[in-house]
Amino acid sequence: MLEIKNLHVKLEEEDKAILKGVDLTVEAGKVHAIMGPNGSGKSTLSYVLSGRDGYEVTDGTALLEGEDLLEMEPEERAAAGLFLAFQYPVEIPGVGNMTFLRTAVNAQRKARGEDEMSAADFLKVIRAKAKDLKIDAEMLKRPVNVGFSGGEKKRNEILQMAMLEPKMCILDETDSGLDVDAMKLVSDGVNALRDAGRGFLVITHYQRLLDHIKPDVVHIMADGRIVKTGGPELALEVEHNGYAGILEEVA
Amino acid sequence: MALPKIKQDATEARLSALDLPEGGWSARARGEALARVRAMGLPGARDEYWKYTRPDTLVGAEAPQAAVFDADEMPVFDAVDRLKIVFVDGVFDADLSDDLALEGVEIDRLAEARDIHWAQDLYGVLEAKGQSPVERPLAALNTAFASDGLLIRVTQTPSKPISLVYHHRSEVSDAILHHVVKVEAGAQMTLLENGPAAARFNKCMEVDLADTARLHHVRTQGRDHERRAATHIFARLGTESVFKTFTLTVNGVLTRNEVVVEFTGDDAVAHVAGACMGDGDFHHDDTVFITHDAVNCESRQVFKKVLRNGAVGVFQGKILVKPGAQKTDGYQISQSLLLDEDSQFLAKPELEIYADDVACSHGSTSGAIDDEGLFYLRARGVPRGLAEDLMTIAFIAEAVQEIEDEGLQEEIVGRVEAWLARRRS
Ligand SMILES: Nc1ncnc2c1ncn2[C@@H]1O[C@H](COP(=O)(O)OP(=O)(O)OP(=O)(O)O)[C@@H](O)[C@H]1O
Ligand SMILES: [Mg+2]
């Protein structure tokens, strides 16, 4: 599904290397988790994959189902099936959440040569999905993320994911800021989307989320590289011992 | 003080190209207005109040030509149930207009001057009052020479809006219209205006709101690319009255919209808002002056300008709070969205406050589309152009929301969307 090879990334504006050779393959149907100390490059990886400005790829490749992601515009990547749940969802005053989502859904459909979703169908679907995530009608009407609490923003990300039905979902610290109940809602939302054709890359600092969204593979990222890969037990090890041991071991 | 010779000559050149209409009841007001014009002189490039906008083409003896633009888009407000009154190049068109009959409203034409008229107490009166502390000679010129206009007196709330529709058919038309709107106590009305009125248009509207009266004014200045316009609104607000005016301006090479509001009764509300979309050879100037001379009144000025390809936006907005106008709530925001580096926004916000118990704020910003927001939209699959349009619509939203009627808000947003979409591909 997602195949990253030897990815090197530096900041466009300054000579600062952030990703220093990332190798990572997420297979369809699998959930991979990435953990790692603050500043190790996890968000950078997710931004580079989704096409944000400000980074320069100096080496390596990233393919989504065999297609070169790095050559595409952000909207093309989305239409190709890539989705990033942002660590910090952006507020867009003046753009209604509903308008935004409908525009996004239909733009992606159009890009894929599919029919647009009618207003009525869209409404039906979004209401049902919003209800599952306990997002009320009033929140749907509000401008995108404006005045949403931290947890509401994260739920809104998952709602977008549920509506867009991407093939490859990257979740960047979607658990941060969520209370226990919201964590359950969000995890249920993610688990409902798990299927054989879809891959997940879940970035998190805490084992807690991985109790709900059971990963197949866990990676540890440090200083711009994946330094260790293992099964779910690796997350438990981090939970109990922190990163010190792992980092020493690989140093 | 005598006018500088150059200004005097320019003024006389303009005046010599005009004929004073037969006034009837308005003759005296016209004569006085003419004297005001002569005393002030027409605006010149050196005038402080015209620092950011060149007045020469607005005051020249002849109107510069303006091509008539044929758009196949349905005119705005066509779907609204309304009483429609049409002016073609500044000339009233009875065939295109509805009967000037609407329950609760008296409508007369200025051109059909009779000997006495209720408008006598207002025509040129609010304009004359609005000449101080800042002179507005084009408005006085208008009072003197207006060829026509509507005198609208609202005694009871009518069942539908009055909609003034302007058509521009002649490349050299030079129209001067003057409307007077008086809303009596307890009544309210919506007044719509749209269309390019002429190659050059000088329009003045005097608005008198009695206690508890309400007027909602929504106007679009659109379509034609080469048109020029100078417009004035002079509004006087009685106790607990409400005046809301919103203007959308697209296209046109030069537009100056002045709005002068005076609170004379307590607890009144005035919202003056505007959005403009400028592309290329476009200069748009919003000049607003709000005088608080009563207690506990609220004024809001919300102006948003979207500028690209060298378009220029100007905002001069002033809140004057007179001694004793306590509990004044004055808000003013003017912002521009510059879609490239060639475009320009010039703002001069001013507060002058002589009362101590007031809350006034003003702000002015200029900026590009927010990259973070743009990326967020694109990351969800919204193509760049459409994402920029959404962000642009979002930018003007605060101004559009000043329109009370949601249907009209949508109509305005729809126009802007279409305008943007035409420029996208
Ligand atoms: N635009 C930028 N300008 C300057 N430094 C940047 C920029 N983007 C990333 N960095 C730096 O790159 C490093 C990696 O940042 P990144 O956000 O990817 O870390 P992270 O692993 O997601 O951390 P966290 O766990 O705290 O979210 C950090 O040192 C960060 O300061
Ligand atoms: Mg991060």
Side-chain angles (χ1 to χ4, degrees), chain A residues 50-52 73-75 78 83-84 86 92-95 100 103-104 107-108 144-145 157 160 164, chain B residues 370-386 390-391 393-395 397 401:
Chain A
S50 47
R52 183 165 138 151
E73 296 294 330
E75 55 267 35
F83 180 91
L84 167 65
F86 284 58
I92 312 183
V95 177
F100 157 60
T103 308
Q108 290 202 13
V144 179
N145 292 325
E157 294 290 291
Q160 292 168 31
L164 294 167
Chain B
D370 172 37
D371 283 337
E372 295 277 318
L374 195 61
F375 174 63
Y376 191 70
L377 291 171
R378 295 178 72 194
R380 295 297 176 252
V382 182
R384 182 185 198 107
L386 184 54
L390 273 177
M391 299 287 290
I393 302 271
F395 168 75
Q401 278 154 14

Side-chain angles (χ1 to χ4, degrees), chain A residues 51-107:
Chain A
R52 183 165 138 151
D53 285 343
Y55 305 102
E56 191 185 318
V57 175
T58 51
D59 202 1
T61 55
L63 307 180
L64 181 68
E65 291 191 305
E67 284 187 74
D68 185 357
L69 269 181
L70 302 177
E71 280 300 304
M72 298 183 210
E73 296 294 330
E75 55 267 35
E76 292 168 341
R77 302 179 195 207
L82 185 76
F83 180 91
L84 167 65
F86 284 58
Q87 181 173 2
Y88 304 108
V90 180
E91 299 189 2
I92 312 183
V95 177
N97 215 2
M98 199 83 125
T99 311
F100 157 60
L101 255 176
R102 194 148 66 89
T103 308
V105 166
N106 282 332

Side-chain angles (χ1 to χ4, degrees), chain B residues 358-408:
Chain B
V358 302
C360 285
S361 65
H362 66 100
S364 181
T365 65
S366 219
I369 287 187
D370 172 37
D371 283 337
E372 295 277 318
L374 195 61
F375 174 63
Y376 191 70
L377 291 171
R378 295 178 72 194
R380 295 297 176 252
V382 182
R384 182 185 198 107
L386 184 54
E388 285 174 347
D389 289 1
L390 273 177
M391 299 287 290
T392 303
I393 302 271
F395 168 75
I396 64 165
E398 187 188 359
V400 175
Q401 278 154 14
E402 291 295 324
I403 301 173
E404 233 167 58
D405 183 292
E406 276 188 28
L408 293 175

Side-chain angles (χ1 to χ4, degrees), chain A residues 43 87 172-173:
Chain A
S43 292
Q87 181 173 2
D172 191 359
E173 292 195 30

Side-chain angles (χ1 to χ4, degrees), chain B residues 252-300:
Chain B
V253 281
L254 175 60
T255 307
R256 162 115 158 183
N257 291 331
E258 296 195 23
V259 179
V260 182
V261 173
E262 188 183 16
F263 290 100
T264 56
D266 299 342
D267 307 313
V269 173
H271 291 188
V272 182
C276 79
M277 317 292 297
D279 187 356
D281 191 3
F282 174 93
H283 183 110
H284 180 90
D285 176 334
D286 284 299
T287 290
V288 181
F289 198 110
I290 302 206
T291 304
H292 284 264
D293 197 10
V295 173
N296 195 36
C297 293
E298 174 198 312
S299 69
R300 275 174 74 82

